[in-house]
Amino acid sequence: QAKAQGRNTYRFFTDAMSAEAQRHLSLERRLRHALEHERFVLHYQPQVDIASGRIVGCEALLRWNDPDEGLVPPGRFIPFAEESGLIVPIGEWALHSACLQARRWADAGLPPLQVSVNLSARQLWQAELPDRIAAILKATGLPPQALDLELTESMIMGHEAQAVERLGQLRSMGLRLAIDDFGTGYSSLSYLKNLPIEVLKIDQSFVRNIPQDRNDMEIAGGIIALARKLNLAVTAEGVETAAQLDFLAGQGCDSYQGYLFSRPLPAAEFEKLLSR
Ligand code: C2E
Ligand code: MG
Ligand code: MG
Ligand code: MG
């Protein structure tokens, strides 16, 4: 009887595994299909200079335009794309599209813009990354100075020495490097001074509860002060209210993104906002 029970447990286990494996396989197939059929789109969220109120850049944010499900946000497929390695070609598609779009806006005579693209860990550590980016810049004609790459602390943690080398390569190509979601990654601050980064982006979790949460205000203010001392530009993410913007401006924050100014927009709508 124990044996039969064991067998049942085993069967239950493999059925559960194969359901999970099947779900992954089908997601992988759908993502590959989406890649082949250009079913990804980028939305662009303005980055606003606080002193002038002008749009100085935009962050390109990936969406999956699935025929059945509609626009799927990145949180629902990027973790899987990371796991399966598909993030490398998907991320490369995003880089290429964002650079091409930025070049078209420049050609159309719109005000100069930085374009920010999120990089995943797999891409960062891909040996050919600098070559791939160089090829994309060459093909699109976007000057490297116009491209920002966003990385997170967790991608660097535990690989600080390699990061100094890799980020140095990217920096020497003329790109700007930003640390995204800053403050959420338990990193030692000492790595900051060794890395050739230009921008800190304050994570939206520290912005969300300003001005109700004193601790978040201290943290956001502290990040801004740190950035200024280290001569880095600082951008706040997730700014939704005038009170949040006032506080951040008072602390000396350089620029911001958030629903207060605009949600991420399809390229055509972003362009309308730009030409206003
Ligand atoms: P992130 O890079 O930190 O992007 C900021 C996220 O905050 C975006 O979510 C944006 O839509 C959202 N956001 C902007 N303003 C506000 C606001 O005022 N309030 C609130 N509540 N949210 C706001 P989204 O577009 O869903 O992207 C989520 C994450 O997916 C991104 O976080 C980034 O880590 C990742 N991601 C997006 N596109 C790419 C990509 O092309 N490659 C890679 N590797 N990751 C990407
Ligand atoms: Mg980002
Ligand atoms: Mg972020
Ligand atoms: Mg994030």
Side-chain angles (χ1 to χ4, degrees):
Q1 212 219 327
K3 204 174 171 189
Q5 208 169 29
R7 199 177 297 132
N8 282 340
T9 308
Y10 176 74
R11 244 190 71 190
F12 176 77
F13 191 60
T14 49
D15 284 352
M17 290 259 291
S18 79
E20 176 73 357
Q22 270 167 27
R23 202 180 63 78
H24 275 197
L25 207 64
S26 114
L27 186 54
E28 179 164 354
R29 213 179 292 120
R30 286 166 62 216
L31 282 174
R32 279 188 199 286
H33 186 266
L35 197 56
E36 277 160 27
H37 295 81
E38 299 250 8
R39 291 270 168 71
F40 292 105
V41 283
L42 292 176
H43 283 187
Y44 296 88
Q45 186 175 40
Q47 296 177 329
V48 182
D49 177 66
I50 292 180
S52 68
R54 290 225 174 90
I55 300 176
V56 288
C58 58
E59 178 172 9
L61 294 158
L62 191 64
R63 278 96 182 83
W64 172 12
N65 198 353
D66 184 69
D68 301 326
E69 291 187 44
L71 274 193
V72 183
R76 283 190 30 219
F77 65 90
I78 284 192
F80 176 76
E82 294 258 8
E83 214 180 287
S84 63
L86 276 172
I87 192 65
V88 172
I90 294 173
E92 199 167 316
W93 178 88
L95 264 169
H96 182 268
S97 303
C99 290
L100 189 62
Q101 185 60 74
R103 176 60 208 249
R104 285 188 180 144
W105 283 328
D107 286 349
L110 293 164
L113 272 187
Q114 286 294 125
V115 64
S116 296
V117 179
N118 294 282
L119 215 59
S120 79
R122 291 250 200 178
Q123 287 175 284
L124 180 65
W125 301 116
Q126 191 195 18
E128 316 85 79
L129 180 74
D131 291 344
R132 310 298 287 190
I133 294 177
I136 287 170
L137 293 170
K138 191 161 177 241
T140 59
L142 188 76
Q145 291 72 22
L147 177 62
D148 287 10
L149 295 179
E150 297 191 2
L151 327 160
T152 59
E153 296 161 88
S154 60
M155 289 161 61
I156 291 164
M157 264 168 4
H159 313 277
E160 283 82 1
Q162 296 98 308
V164 170
E165 194 190 333
R166 176 41 55 101
L167 300 199
Q169 288 172 317
L170 297 172
R171 180 66 198 135
S172 69
M173 292 168 62
L175 310 173
R176 282 208 325 175
L177 302 173
I179 303 288
D180 202 358
D181 305 343
F182 186 75
T184 61
Y186 319 94
S187 56
S188 81
L189 291 177
S190 65
Y191 85 105
L192 265 184
K193 63 173 198 237
N194 297 322
L195 291 175
I197 53 169
E198 261 86 350
V199 186
L200 293 185
K201 297 188 74 177
I202 305 171
D203 189 64
Q204 48 182 278
S205 62
F206 304 123
V207 174
R208 190 176 300 137
N209 299 318
I210 295 173
Q212 300 82 0
D213 190 316
R214 297 293 316 168
N215 290 333
D216 286 347
M217 291 166 87
E218 292 295 338
I219 293 169
I223 294 173
I224 294 166
L226 177 72
R228 298 183 74 87
K229 288 223 171 72
L230 295 175
N231 230 342
L232 304 172
V234 59
T235 301
E237 299 189 283
V239 177
E240 295 186 352
T241 70
Q244 290 165 351
L245 180 58
D246 284 348
F247 173 78
L248 295 160
Q251 298 291 306
C253 189
D254 299 301
S255 57
Y256 76 101
Q257 289 175 235
Y259 297 168
L260 176 65
F261 190 87
S262 170
R263 290 183 176 258
L265 300 171
E269 281 178 51
F270 181 78
E271 193 174 323
K272 274 186 218 150
L273 196 66
L274 256 191
S275 41
R276 255 196 352 219

